[in-house]
Amino acid sequence: MTQERAIRRDVGPFALMLTGLGSIIGSGWLFGAWRAAQIAGPGAIWAWVIGAAVIMAIALTYAELGSMFPESGGMVRYGHYSHGSLVGFIAAWANWIAIVSVISVEAEASAQYMSSWKWQWAKDLYHQAPGGHGELSTAGLMIAAALVIVYFLFNFWSVKLFARSNTAITLFKLVIPALTAVLLMMSGFHPENFSVGIHGELHKTDFASVLTAVAIAGIVFSFNGFQSPVNLAGEARNPGRSIPFAIVCSIALATVIYVLLQVSFIGAVPREMLANVGWHGINFSSPFADLAIILGLQWLATLLFIDAVISPSGTGMTYTATTARMLYGMERNGTLPKILGRIHPKWGVPRPAMWVNLVVSFLFLFFFRGWGTLAAVISVATIISYLTGPVSVMTLRRTAPGLHRPLRLAGLPLLAGVAFVMSTELLYWARWPLTGEIILLMVVALPIYFYYQAKSGWHDFGRQMKGAWWLVAYLPTIAFVSWAGSTTFGGKGYLPYGWDLVVVAAIGLVFYLWGVRSGWRTPSVEAAELEAHAHPDAPLVPPDEWAAERITGH
């Protein structure tokens, strides 16, 4: 029995949907409405709608891939199947960075919300700064570190324990945000707030600010939880039905909740707070709890303080589970040590990978000490991690047409193209220099890939490069356009606003078409087809890199 088949398939469709919803509704609901309002004012409502539409298009491409290859850590494997090891490595690294850092930001969110408690020791946990760039104190970091350890322990023994605890936590997390939105609307709603602009002027929708909010205010970060059902596909019963159900329902339900929260937040802020500084000057350490206290709803504030531990912790536990499966998947790509692919024989979880993620979570915790700062970093890394999904799913339609697809999306060529172009736009909206900094973070791990290539005698390196040139060229191209783009998005102004969006869309379309044409019939796909013929009723899980080459003789 392979290690992949040793992983237990204990998670049903409803539990898998709650896993996605539990990942989406984490610290994003506690802070996202505040940060989006700071950046876009009342236009933040449109930012959530646009963000949900873009993420749904991207997520549906991954739904076909996840149901086709129902394996643990699948998000880090698809680029490898369609384009080879180099694309697979870059995509996997971006995806892992985007997800493992969430463990830290969820713990930080809980500690940051504690700073609005009435005791002085709690107030000292977080130091505010303009623009949402405050930092946790040393004591706040210690509390966050303790929470990361709790997330780790909840996943250390069994995925079934994780799924059961997550179901209860997610149901609680659904009730509290909805209750908060309704009570704020009933207790202190000011319709005139919707006419106040970002800097206190009369509000006019600033489309550029709305787009920037989508990219860095925590909106992309909040919806990123759709990946959890994909990464836990190896534990899912009937993945062809469970995965699309989990992805679509979790995004749809979360969108309704986030829009309600944004409307209630904008309406509940006291008018006198907006009179001089507008939305940009609204600084809260615990946004919804602070509003509840201002409105005299102390009992709601207390409930929010409790939820500020439970909501992020549910998401933190979910991501602790999924990131371990990511390292497991990267090891199967042949670009990480074998020990990270070991599954505990009794509990069915990849424990060595969990230990690595624990250490990396601590590093993110101590280098990025506030929710606003780390959420922006995660958002851009997340956008980069989305890029290969639309390209991979279309490539596999061409290179592996005979593989069984439990979910076959209608109109996929158009959907995948739109998803890739919108991912490119999201990356640009994140603004220079953040776009360039995170793109640089994506390439610093390449020495690890080259080490394993050298170890294998640069085995088939030319073939891997041929499949990867589109992505290798894409990242510096987008960095350059971001630098040269309009000042509206932080660039040097060589491209005027409006035309820069057109240029970015055209670049996205060119690289999408190049990426689809660059895909090839990899040994992993050939081995999967042989396995499908031999075991037609078994879940389709391609073998690891070396086994695939041994099976196919390539």
Side-chain angles (χ1 to χ4, degrees):
M1 178 181 291
T2 66
Q3 291 197 61
E4 178 66 34
R5 290 182 184 173
I7 289 182
R8 300 175 180 179
R9 298 184 181 272
D10 291 330
V11 184
F14 187 69
L16 199 66
M17 185 272 288
L18 289 178
T19 298
L21 195 57
S23 298
I24 293 172
I25 302 179
S27 61
W29 90 264
L30 295 169
F31 294 96
W34 160 62
R35 283 293 289 138
Q38 273 193 322
I39 295 171
I45 297 169
W46 289 110
W48 287 101
V49 174
I50 293 170
V54 173
I55 297 301
M56 183 68 82
I58 295 167
L60 286 172
T61 66
Y62 281 103
E64 177 165 318
L65 289 167
S67 59
M68 183 178 175
F69 299 116
E71 60 181 310
S72 294
M75 292 286 293
V76 301
R77 294 277 281 160
Y78 306 136
H80 183 92
Y81 297 157
S82 60
H83 289 79
S85 62
L86 181 51
V87 169
F89 179 82
I90 296 173
W93 173 259
N95 202 270
W96 177 68
I97 287 292
I99 299 296
V100 72
S101 51
V102 175
I103 299 170
S104 304
V105 84
E106 299 302 321
E108 287 184 345
S110 293
Q112 187 169 325
Y113 246 70
M114 290 179 189
S115 67
S116 288
W117 292 3
K118 62 181 180 180
W119 301 285
Q120 187 59 46
W121 67 265
K123 296 180 185 299
D124 293 337
L125 295 177
Y126 179 77
H127 305 300
Q128 286 193 10
H133 297 298
E135 291 188 348
L136 291 172
S137 65
T138 300
L141 286 174
M142 292 302 102
I143 291 174
L147 287 171
V148 169
I149 293 173
V150 171
Y151 306 160
F152 174 84
L153 294 176
F154 255 88
N155 284 276
F156 198 64
W157 285 281
S158 172
V159 69
K160 186 176 285 189
L161 172 64
F162 152 72
R164 287 173 175 171
S165 62
N166 186 68
T167 298
I169 290 171
T170 302
L171 290 174
F172 180 80
K173 289 164 63 175
L174 277 174
V175 172
I176 301 304
L179 179 66
T180 299
V182 171
L183 287 175
L184 289 181
M185 289 182 191
M186 293 175 60
S187 302
F189 196 76
H190 307 289
E192 61 271 22
N193 286 1
F194 291 83
S195 65
V196 179
I198 300 169
H199 298 285
E201 74 285 4
L202 184 66
H203 171 65
K204 292 182 180 179
T205 300
D206 182 346
F207 191 56
S209 296
V210 171
L211 299 181
T212 299
V214 174
I216 67 172
I219 294 175
V220 168
F221 159 75
S222 296
F223 282 114
N224 191 37
F226 83 82
Q227 296 192 36
S228 291
V230 179
N231 282 316
L232 288 172
E235 284 92 329
R237 298 194 299 268
N238 189 10
R241 174 175 173 268
S242 298
I243 294 171
F245 172 82
I247 288 175
V248 173
C249 290
S250 61
I251 292 176
L253 287 172
T255 301
V256 173
I257 292 171
Y258 278 130
V259 170
L260 285 174
L261 286 166
Q262 187 66 68
V263 171
S264 68
F265 179 86
I266 292 172
V269 173
R271 184 59 187 258
E272 58 271 19
M273 294 182 69
L274 297 171
N276 297 319
V277 295
W279 293 103
H280 186 71
I282 299 298
N283 267 319
F284 289 126
S285 59
S286 312
F288 282 106
D290 290 342
L291 279 179
I293 292 171
I294 291 171
L295 295 172
L297 300 173
Q298 188 61 51
W299 68 271
L300 177 60
T302 301
L303 191 60
L304 287 168
F305 289 140
I306 295 171
D307 186 74
V309 175
I310 294 176
S311 283
S313 294
T315 303
M317 286 188 287
T318 300
Y319 279 67
T320 301
T322 56
T323 49
R325 279 113 184 123
M326 284 180 163
L327 285 182
Y328 167 83
M330 291 168 73
E331 181 277 327
R332 298 187 74 238
N333 286 346
T335 51
L336 284 182
K338 289 288 185 183
I339 190 173
L340 297 180
R342 292 182 184 173
I343 304 296
H344 192 278
K346 179 179 180 181
W347 299 113
V349 293
R351 283 186 172 179
M354 289 182 63
W355 283 107
V356 171
N357 286 329
L358 180 65
V359 173
V360 174
S361 296
F362 285 147
L363 291 176
F364 273 103
L365 195 64
F366 290 103
F367 278 108
F368 303 96
R369 300 187 173 200
W371 188 91
T373 303
L374 186 49
V377 171
I378 293 170
S379 295
V380 183
T382 297
I383 295 164
I384 295 174
S385 74
Y386 290 156
L387 294 169
T388 55
V391 175
S392 292
V393 71
M394 276 305 301
T395 298
L396 289 168
R397 282 274 187 103
R398 176 173 59 82
T399 61
L403 286 178
H404 174 60
R405 289 166 171 79
L407 172 68
R408 190 177 181 91
L409 292 169
L412 181 64
L414 177 61
L415 179 68
V418 169
F420 188 90
V421 169
M422 293 310 298
S423 295
T424 304
E425 292 281 7
L426 278 171
L427 195 52
Y428 179 73
W429 300 342
R431 298 174 61 88
W432 181 267
L434 184 59
T435 299
E437 291 168 353
I438 306 304
I439 286 176
L440 181 62
L441 180 62
M442 294 302 104
V443 301
V444 296
L446 285 178
I448 299 174
Y449 174 79
F450 292 130
Y451 166 78
Y452 279 96
Q453 280 293 311
K455 191 175 178 180
S456 67
W458 301 98
H459 172 67
D460 202 22
F461 183 66
R463 173 73 271 186
Q464 308 302 332
M465 282 301 304
K466 187 175 180 181
W469 276 121
W470 69 275
L471 185 57
V472 171
Y474 174 88
L475 294 175
T477 298
I478 294 302
F480 174 77
V481 173
S482 182
W483 170 83
S486 67
T487 55
T488 305
F489 293 104
K492 295 295 183 180
Y494 296 116
L495 285 173
Y497 173 61
W499 283 107
D500 57 342
L501 300 178
V502 175
V503 170
V504 170
I507 290 172
L509 180 59
V510 169
F511 276 98
Y512 166 72
L513 296 173
W514 184 7
V516 172
R517 287 176 61 88
S518 298
W520 53 291
R521 189 173 171 81
T522 61
S524 296
V525 167
E526 290 195 12
E529 290 198 333
L530 293 173
E531 183 75 8
H533 289 138
H535 305 282
D537 297 325
L540 185 59
V541 179
D544 59 37
E545 176 74 358
W546 307 117
E549 293 186 355
R550 185 175 63 252
I551 291 169
T552 61
H554 293 172

